[in-house]
Amino acid sequence: MRKFNIRKVLDGLTAVSSAASASSAAQQQQAGNRESDIQETLQSEHFQLCKTVRHGFPYQPSALAFDPVQKILAIGTQTGALRLFGRPGVECYCQHDSGAAVIQLQFLINEGALVSALADDTLHLWNLRQKRPAILHSLKFNRERITFCHLPFQSKWLYVGTERGNIHIVNVESFTLSGYVIMWNKAIELSSKSHPGPIVHISDNPMDEGKLLIGFESGTVVLWDLKSKKADYRYTHDEAIHSVAWHHEGKQFICSHSDGTLTIWNVKSPTKPFQTITPHGKQLKDGKKPEPCKPILKVEYKTTRAGEPFIILSGGLSYDTVGRRPCLTVMHGKSTAVLEMDYSIVDFLTLCETPYPNDFQEPYAVVVLLEKDLVLIDLAQNGYPIFENPYPLTIHESPVTCCEYFADCPVDLIPALYSVGARQKRQGYSKKEWPISGGNWGLITQSYPEIIITGHADGSIKFWDASAITLQVLYKLKTAKVFEKSRNKDDRPNTDIVDEDPYAVQIISWCPESRMLCIAGVSAHVIIYRFSKQEVTTEVIPMLEVRLLYEINDVETPDGEQVPPLPTPGTGSNPQSIIPQSHPSTSSSSSDGLRDNVPCLKVKNSPLKQSPGYQIELVIQLVWVSGEPPQQITSLAVNSAYGLVVFGNCNGIAMVDYLQKTVLLNLGTIELYGSNDPYRREPRSPRKTRQPSGAGLCDINEGTVVPEDRCKSPTSAKMSRKLSLPTELKPDLDVKDNSFSRSRSSSVTSIDKESREAISALHFCETFTRKADTSLSPCLWVGTTLGTVLVIVLNLPPGGEQRLLQPVIVSPSGTILRLKGAILRMAFLDTTGSLVPPAHEPWREHNVPEDKDEKDKLKKRRPVSVSPSSSQEISENQYAVICSEKQAKVISLPSQNCIYKQNITETSFVLRGDIVALSNSICLACFCANGHIMTFSLPSLRPLLDVYYLPLTNMRIARTFCFTNNGQALYLVSPTEIQRLTYSQETCENLQEMLGELFTPVETPEAPNRGFFKGLFGGGAQSLDREELFGESASGKASRSLAQHIPGPGGIEGVKGAASGVVGELARARLALDERGQKLGELEEKTAAMLYSADSFSKHAHEMMLKYKDKKWYQF
């Protein structure tokens, strides 16, 4: 592993231009020895990149299988993925390299193996006896297309049906073809002139393994005698067949047809069906056939000892049920239950008590695989309730628009979120335990709490417990409930900023210590939430409206009013703030008829009941300005110690005091610079004729994006521009060019493109604001898309009651720093190189009246910084770490000297950069648009890891990729799934132990008793020596050109890939021991056989000797 890491570092170093290295070295020298005091402990060997687990619903599912003994469920997808589920917490993800769709899955029941059939006509045998399953064998069919497979219980011979109507037989142990083939023309009647179509069903008679039932698509069913190699019976029907199922006694079978009918056949009466049923057909009075219905795609026929059999089917609804949801129908005796599903049914399986097909099935549940959900129905309870699903399959309930990941959170957070989330659970689930209960949990080697927060298109936010590579939903918050819902399309004139999903969450800012939550939505709205365990009713929702507009001073502003650079807080008369208690005026147009001063959404004016959990503190909305819609928010930060929230877009920045409910700052980006503006900007009037449908930085309705990806969280204007390019990024893009390459119906005109500068990063901290500063003070660092960092000083009043009475004074410091590319992330280190987190207030319950002592404490309390550097002496300094799309810099404070600089990428750009803790140290982790994941030491920015991981194929990855502490990262790999990965060597080594085991040794249930009379008179199940029929000695060899055997990477290679280090070595040793044991076992068997043959030879020799003992030589 060491060699590999060194190569990574060399790759990383080559990316740094020599000039940058030289200047960096010179700066480091100037900085003197003081910086070298910081001991950096992280080295390349601390880093290794590997995927850990995948959570969520399998995207685009296509196949389903269940092992009734191991109690493991398998789901295959259209992209060749394989997901295996055991007991809650035991999950596994595998991938077929070809990426072809999985058309069928078959467990080798209780063997710890699975066969997958793919759309590229390959069969694969998966070994599930290792924590990371691997393929042992593959078989590629060259001349035939696979349509259906069947593996009888406790058999090693797999029947493979093809499009041509032939059946081939595969030995699953060696994955070789038998010479025994059932040709379609032998199976059907010779008098038949047409081809019977592809094979849609194969199964053996439950009572006689020598009889094979073959279903052809055209409507023909054949009962084939394997021994005599001829058809016993042929059953013909004029409707196409979709599926076939046996009664367990082997005397009847049922077929489902394309006209919505079921036909039940007696095996020995092939002339006509015993019974025809149209489950959803309207019965006509004059004895005519019922009207045809939609096809019944699948039917299952399950028997019970105590009562009537169950007939379970999907599809078959009548054609006049327009708009009706997909249904599963359960027919039991005379009752028929129609169970409506939310999505279309991909497949279903009935779970039964016995794995033996010739016994009473005793069904107890149905697993229904839907397009976007997995449902389990309890057949044993009245009304067929569903089981509560314990897997985290609801990530995509509404499309994910953004996510954040927090590792090493305060320990009381998960219990607090769980307790408020437990009240949100639905009622009416089955009382029984979840029936998919196989496998065992892995060892928990990580003990720190992890939380994932997902923001969704419908405005909801979900909190997930992600500790120890598992995932469980804790709490769901609906942010849209604060707004009035539009009844119809005519009633929503204000939501012009986006066509749909006006409540979609774009940015989440969360302080885990104080539990303050702030979200920015797509309709230019910001909502601040406080956590409470008490239920409250808010009579009037506190709200502010902010008029954030972009203008150059030498152009007259609309309505002639000049925006003061720093509004006086608390005055209701200033044009930026509206008194929170009064709701906005309804005047929605300015003097010339343009829409003005109206927000995009309407806040409810009725009392709002707020359950325990996150409760609204304040709603802030940007308003229309002279016919221009507000631009979408591009950055957001909240600080609980200061009681402030700040947000920005391509027009400017606004800061709000959420305790006093006032706007403190409302500046255009250019006004932040004052006289220090380094750019020559073209003046423009905001009154130009524009299309009022514009979206701000990122056009949410970009045509190239798939529906699931419709909502994008912009980190910068530049990113939005670049991500609309193909993956091969154009290298000649100018850094300062802030234009968009796509045509948009937005409010940015061509002359205006260059001068638009969006706020892309915000960070509250306590640091040195100017070069001459000798002490730390609260401030806000602002980063823009043109690579500028500006510092705003915050002058906070004393704590307690004074905090609510005296204004917060905000003033620009004049400090300006420059980087190449849009600013993404900022952080601060103290003199020892430790991370200085922003100041925060510890969480306390706000809805409970405090006693006198508490009030006194509150009066004395000031916003306390947890920074270890707050008591530093004057001589000590801090370091600002700033990461942009192109480079990272470490700047010494208060001197503002750049002491370290690293050009991260020249030809691409950084999508996400995070300063994270790892192995009692910190580093900068970056994900680039060219697919590279890189880490750098701090403060010296030495490259530690550079691995090509995944190219940026769509906006979803860019929007959701995030790093967090302890070497964890994640992104949305599909619209329904989260992929977690680690860049920590330690986690990679421990991963094998943490993963759950799918296979556990379980005794196979006893076969059903044949009974005395059945044994005596020849009834009961007939067994078949398949080896005798299908083995090479009986049937010969199959044609070599028909299929090609490919040995898989399973066994030892599978373990090699699964983990390195001690755990991997142990696993390899254990596997080697198993193999050695197996070989020793084989040797022992061979020795015993040799001993036996030697013994019999000696016996025969002795008999011969006795026979001829007394005979002379001539008597022979």
Side-chain angles (χ1 to χ4, degrees):
M1 287 315 298
R2 186 70 55 89
K3 186 177 173 189
F4 177 66
N5 281 327
I6 287 168
R7 196 175 75 234
K8 285 185 240 171
V9 174
L10 290 172
D11 290 346
L13 287 168
T14 54
V16 186
S17 66
S18 53
S21 305
S23 65
S24 179
Q27 284 166 337
Q28 288 172 35
Q29 231 171 354
Q30 287 168 13
N33 298 325
R34 192 169 48 178
E35 276 75 38
S36 62
D37 294 345
I38 297 175
Q39 289 294 311
E40 291 184 5
T41 54
L42 287 177
Q43 302 299 329
S44 288
E45 51 265 31
H46 289 110
F47 294 88
Q48 185 186 341
L49 194 73
C50 72
K51 292 179 182 179
T52 52
V53 283
R54 186 173 286 202
H55 302 297
F57 182 76
Y59 183 54
Q60 294 178 327
S62 56
L64 181 67
F66 183 68
D67 185 325
V69 180
Q70 284 288 321
K71 298 211 182 315
I72 295 286
L73 187 77
I75 296 174
T77 75
Q78 289 177 31
T79 52
L82 187 59
R83 291 284 295 279
L84 295 141
F85 296 91
R87 66 178 60 195
V90 177
E91 277 183 49
C92 182
Y93 158 75
C94 320
Q95 178 70 44
H96 293 92
D97 291 337
S98 68
V102 179
I103 55 173
Q104 206 177 344
L105 296 169
Q106 290 265 305
F107 274 102
L108 277 68
I109 293 171
N110 207 23
E111 297 288 335
L114 176 78
V115 174
S116 57
L118 269 59
D120 62 355
D121 309 305
T122 53
L123 294 171
H124 304 275
L125 179 68
W126 289 87
N127 175 16
L128 307 182
R129 290 181 180 236
Q130 53 196 57
K131 287 190 169 185
R132 287 209 157 169
I135 293 172
L136 293 170
H137 300 282
S138 297
L139 196 64
K140 169 89 172 112
F141 279 75
N142 298 321
R143 298 199 308 245
E144 298 229 43
R145 309 225 59 185
I146 299 169
T147 55
F148 193 88
C149 299
H150 170 63
L151 181 67
F153 179 44
Q154 293 180 324
S155 163
K156 68 173 185 180
W157 299 96
L158 173 76
Y159 301 109
V160 181
T162 69
E163 200 170 50
R164 288 187 187 174
N166 304 324
I167 293 178
H168 301 280
I169 296 159
V170 176
N171 181 333
V172 290
E173 286 178 357
S174 60
F175 241 57
T176 52
L177 274 175
S178 162
Y180 192 114
V181 183
I182 303 170
M183 303 301 284
W184 68 270
N185 52 356
K186 298 272 176 64
I188 65 164
E189 287 181 89
L190 296 174
S191 59
S192 175
K193 291 176 183 174
S194 58
H195 188 277
I199 301 276
V200 293
H201 179 81
I202 307 169
S203 62
D204 42 0
N205 185 320
M207 287 296 179
D208 188 351
E209 293 173 350
K211 310 285 189 204
L212 200 65
L213 195 70
I214 306 163
F216 295 94
E217 192 180 65
S218 64
T220 302
V221 179
V222 174
L223 190 67
W224 181 264
D225 189 310
L226 290 165
K227 284 181 185 167
S228 63
K229 300 187 181 180
K230 65 179 190 352
D232 278 359
Y233 299 103
R234 295 182 180 93
Y235 314 83
T236 51
H237 194 66
D238 34 4
E239 288 295 336
I241 289 175
H242 284 276
S243 74
V244 185
W246 278 104
H247 185 284
H248 86 272
E249 288 175 350
K251 293 172 185 172
Q252 277 187 342
F253 61 88
I254 188 168
C255 302
S256 73
H257 299 278
S258 55
D259 65 343
T261 59
L262 297 172
T263 53
I264 298 174
W265 299 77
N266 283 337
V267 169
K268 294 186 178 176
S269 308
T271 50
K272 66 174 181 133
F274 163 70
Q275 191 183 354
T276 303
I277 309 165
T278 312
H280 296 283
K282 287 176 184 168
Q283 296 297 326
L284 302 173
K285 287 178 183 174
D286 45 3
K288 288 180 184 174
K289 270 188 171 179
E291 290 172 9
C293 294
K294 293 175 187 174
I296 295 176
L297 300 174
K298 184 173 180 179
V299 65
E300 292 207 338
Y301 198 5
K302 301 296 178 187
T303 53
T304 58
R305 268 191 179 81
E308 299 276 347
F310 281 88
I311 296 174
I312 300 163
L313 56 116
S314 63
L317 293 177
S318 62
Y319 280 102
D320 61 2
T321 51
V322 181
R324 190 162 178 188
R325 294 192 292 179
C327 293
L328 186 84
T329 307
V330 180
M331 299 167 72
H332 184 222
K334 290 181 180 175
S335 77
T336 300
V338 181
L339 309 172
E340 287 197 344
M341 302 291 155
D342 290 336
Y343 307 101
S344 54
I345 297 170
V346 175
D347 198 359
F348 72 89
L349 284 173
T350 312
L351 307 190
C352 300
E353 296 289 355
T354 177
Y356 293 95
N358 58 354
D359 194 7
F360 283 100
Q361 298 297 288
E362 303 296 349
Y364 59 89
V366 184
V367 182
V368 191
L369 177 62
L370 305 175
E371 208 172 37
K372 293 185 179 179
D373 203 0
L374 181 74
V375 175
L376 248 81
I377 297 158
D378 185 353
L379 289 179
Q381 267 182 258
N382 286 338
Y384 305 130
I386 62 167
F387 288 88
E388 185 174 6
N389 197 323
Y391 305 136
L393 302 182
T394 58
I395 291 167
H396 62 289
E397 196 173 21
S398 168
V400 176
T401 49
C402 61
C403 67
E404 293 295 336
Y405 189 8
F406 300 86
D408 220 359
C409 305
V411 289
D412 57 346
L413 254 182
I414 289 174
L417 288 164
Y418 181 81
S419 67
V420 293
R423 302 164 194 240
Q424 299 176 331
K425 289 201 174 170
R426 280 177 49 194
Q427 302 300 312
Y429 289 112
S430 167
K431 304 284 188 289
K432 291 188 180 165
E433 287 287 305
W434 181 251
I436 303 162
S437 56
N440 278 325
W441 293 305
L443 294 171
I444 297 173
T445 55
Q446 294 176 354
S447 56
Y448 51 86
E450 297 172 71
I451 290 176
I452 294 168
I453 307 178
T454 52
H456 299 264
D458 65 353
S460 61
I461 286 176
K462 287 182 182 173
F463 290 79
W464 304 82
D465 176 4
S467 312
I469 69 168
T470 60
L471 194 71
Q472 183 187 2
V473 71
L474 291 169
Y475 170 70
K476 180 179 173 181
L477 170 67
K478 293 178 181 174
T479 66
K481 70 177 185 183
V482 69
F483 300 110
E484 297 278 7
K485 292 275 193 299
S486 54
R487 302 282 188 285
N488 52 40
K489 288 205 170 176
D490 305 331
D491 194 28
R492 41 176 278 192
N494 291 351
T495 58
D496 291 9
I497 193 165
V498 281
D499 284 350
E500 50 185 61
D501 300 328
Y503 311 112
V505 179
Q506 279 192 301
I507 312 173
I508 297 166
S509 177
W510 188 51
C511 173
E513 287 78 15
S514 66
R515 304 184 190 173
M516 287 301 294
L517 172 71
C518 194
I519 67 105
V522 77
S523 297
H525 62 279
V526 171
I527 311 177
I528 304 155
Y529 289 92
R530 211 185 270 280
F531 186 84
S532 171
K533 292 180 181 178
Q534 309 290 319
E535 184 177 289
V536 293
T537 300
T538 308
E539 293 300 323
V540 178
I541 296 164
M543 59 166 291
L544 283 174
E545 289 178 359
V546 177
R547 189 181 167 90
L548 192 58
L549 69 152
Y550 169 89
E551 59 188 359
I552 306 286
N553 291 337
D554 57 11
V555 175
E556 199 173 312
T557 62
D559 307 332
E561 59 178 83
Q562 188 67 36
V563 178
L566 285 171
T568 317
T571 56
S573 60
N574 82 54
Q576 287 78 30
S577 75
I578 287 176
I579 301 164
Q581 282 70 30
S582 67
H583 279 261
S585 62
T586 51
S587 66
S588 62
S589 58
S590 57
S591 55
D592 53 2
L594 295 171
R595 183 177 298 160
D596 195 42
N597 267 345
V598 286
C600 295
L601 301 171
K602 191 177 179 206
V603 175
K604 282 181 182 171
N605 50 19
S606 54
L608 183 70
K609 185 179 168 186
Q610 303 201 67
S611 306
Y614 274 102
Q615 298 170 352
I616 293 160
E617 176 79 6
L618 179 63
V619 179
I620 307 162
Q621 292 193 87
L622 295 182
V623 294
W624 285 67
V625 176
S626 308
E628 270 208 21
Q631 300 297 302
Q632 287 173 13
I633 289 158
T634 54
S635 56
L636 174 72
V638 64
N639 187 287
S640 58
Y642 308 155
L644 303 177
V645 66
V646 63
F647 54 94
N649 62 12
C650 64
N651 280 342
I653 185 171
M655 191 189 293
V656 168
D657 179 342
Y658 66 76
L659 298 175
Q660 292 188 22
K661 314 282 190 284
T662 54
V663 180
L664 299 174
L665 180 73
N666 180 357
L667 286 181
T669 320
I670 300 155
E671 293 172 290
L672 275 173
Y673 288 93
S675 59
N676 301 328
D677 188 1
Y679 302 106
R680 206 184 101 260
R681 305 183 201 249
E682 293 291 328
R684 69 131 187 130
S685 162
R687 288 278 195 110
K688 289 196 173 143
T689 53
R690 310 182 190 279
Q691 297 189 15
S693 61
L697 257 182
C698 69
D699 198 342
I700 215 154
N701 306 308
E702 189 177 2
T704 55
V705 178
V706 293
E708 285 88 355
D709 293 338
R710 59 183 168 241
C711 187
K712 307 196 296 255
S713 162
T715 52
S716 68
K718 197 141 171 266
M719 182 210 278
S720 300
R721 175 197 66 199
K722 286 190 173 174
L723 291 181
S724 62
L725 301 176
T727 328
E728 300 76 44
L729 294 161
K730 299 177 184 173
D732 57 342
L733 284 168
D734 182 15
V735 175
K736 288 186 181 178
D737 171 28
N738 198 30
S739 62
F740 296 82
S741 64
R742 61 170 182 265
S743 64
R744 305 174 311 140
S745 62
S746 86
S747 56
V748 183
T749 57
S750 57
I751 197 168
D752 190 27
K753 286 177 183 174
E754 177 68 30
S755 55
R756 279 282 166 122
E757 181 178 12
I759 308 295
S760 57
L762 295 162
H763 189 87
F764 284 105
C765 55
E766 238 169 81
T767 186
F768 303 97
T769 52
R770 300 178 183 87
K771 285 186 182 181
D773 278 5
T774 54
S775 61
L776 305 170
S777 56
C779 55
L780 171 72
W781 284 50
V782 181
T784 76
T785 49
L786 294 187
T788 307
V789 177
L790 304 130
V791 183
I792 293 171
V793 184
L794 311 173
N795 196 334
L796 297 160
E801 285 175 17
Q802 289 302 306
R803 173 66 186 85
L804 301 173
L805 300 171
Q806 293 185 28
V808 176
I809 296 162
V810 183
S811 55
S813 66
T815 296
I816 295 182
L817 305 166
R818 297 276 298 121
L819 271 80
K820 202 161 82 172
I823 306 298
L824 298 180
R825 191 76 59 204
M826 296 175 279
F828 292 84
L829 313 182
D830 65 13
T831 192
T832 65
S834 303
L835 194 64
V836 180
H840 63 261
E841 188 182 61
W843 178 79
R844 62 187 178 84
E845 181 57 74
H846 272 254
N847 292 331
V848 174
E850 294 146 344
D851 55 30
K852 192 173 182 298
D853 295 347
E854 283 289 320
K855 277 191 175 172
D856 291 343
K857 278 185 199 170
L858 191 63
K859 277 182 191 174
K860 291 171 190 169
R861 187 170 67 193
R862 283 204 53 137
V864 180
S865 168
V866 293
S867 148
S869 55
S870 53
S871 59
Q872 286 174 352
E873 292 176 21
I874 295 164
S875 61
E876 293 191 336
N877 54 2
Q878 272 190 352
Y879 305 100
V881 181
I882 305 168
C883 175
S884 79
E885 285 182 331
K886 292 285 184 182
Q887 61 181 195
K889 282 186 180 179
V890 175
I891 290 158
S892 180
L893 299 176
S895 67
Q896 295 180 15
N897 290 331
C898 174
I899 56 169
Y900 298 106
K901 177 175 148 188
Q902 176 68 267
N903 287 335
I904 299 168
T905 175
E906 294 291 343
T907 56
S908 184
F909 57 100
V910 178
L911 284 165
R912 177 81 183 208
D914 285 297
I915 290 96
V916 290
L918 177 73
S919 304
N920 298 319
S921 188
I922 51 166
C923 65
L924 168 66
C926 298
F927 172 52
C928 274
N930 61 11
H932 282 253
I933 287 178
M934 296 182 259
T935 62
F936 302 92
S937 70
L938 287 175
S940 70
L941 295 173
R942 275 182 303 116
L944 297 170
L945 175 82
D946 184 354
V947 178
Y948 176 73
Y949 173 70
L950 133 130
L952 181 71
T953 49
N954 58 35
M955 267 303 298
R956 187 184 55 249
I957 297 168
R959 196 177 59 233
T960 56
F961 200 104
C962 44
F963 297 96
T964 187
N965 298 330
N966 300 337
Q968 307 289 345
L970 67 77
Y971 63 97
L972 222 71
V973 68
S974 76
T976 62
E977 296 163 289
I978 285 173
Q979 177 67 57
R980 287 166 72 178
L981 52 145
T982 182
Y983 47 95
S984 152
Q985 170 72 28
E986 187 186 356
T987 308
C988 286
E989 284 189 0
N990 292 335
L991 184 60
Q992 191 71 3
E993 282 184 38
M994 292 166 71
L995 293 171
E997 288 186 64
L998 287 165
F999 180 78
T1000 47
V1002 180
E1003 284 286 319
T1004 304
E1006 279 186 29
N1009 194 348
R1010 286 176 70 185
F1012 173 72
F1013 287 105
K1014 279 187 178 173
L1016 192 64
F1017 299 113
Q1022 304 292 315
S1023 61
L1024 170 78
D1025 188 350
R1026 292 189 179 95
E1027 187 70 50
E1028 198 180 292
L1029 276 176
F1030 308 143
E1032 203 173 297
S1033 56
S1035 62
K1037 284 190 174 180
S1039 163
R1040 280 191 180 178
S1041 61
L1042 183 62
Q1044 170 193 358
H1045 177 259
I1046 306 156
I1052 289 179
E1053 284 76 10
V1055 175
K1056 274 181 189 163
S1060 56
V1062 185
V1063 178
E1065 294 297 336
L1066 279 172
R1068 285 199 281 277
R1070 197 178 299 132
L1071 198 79
L1073 276 173
D1074 286 353
E1075 283 190 356
R1076 187 163 168 250
Q1078 199 177 333
K1079 282 173 182 165
L1080 282 171
E1082 285 170 14
L1083 189 65
E1084 201 172 316
E1085 282 168 22
K1086 282 177 184 170
T1087 311
M1090 283 170 74
L1091 278 169
Y1092 176 78
S1093 64
D1095 193 41
S1096 61
F1097 177 78
S1098 128
K1099 203 167 152 190
H1100 283 299
H1102 185 65
E1103 282 169 11
M1104 289 281 285
M1105 185 267 290
L1106 289 174
K1107 190 176 177 183
Y1108 298 111
K1109 190 168 104 177
D1110 299 326
K1111 292 191 178 183
K1112 304 294 181 194
W1113 64 272
Y1114 51 83
Q1115 289 176 310
F1116 288 121

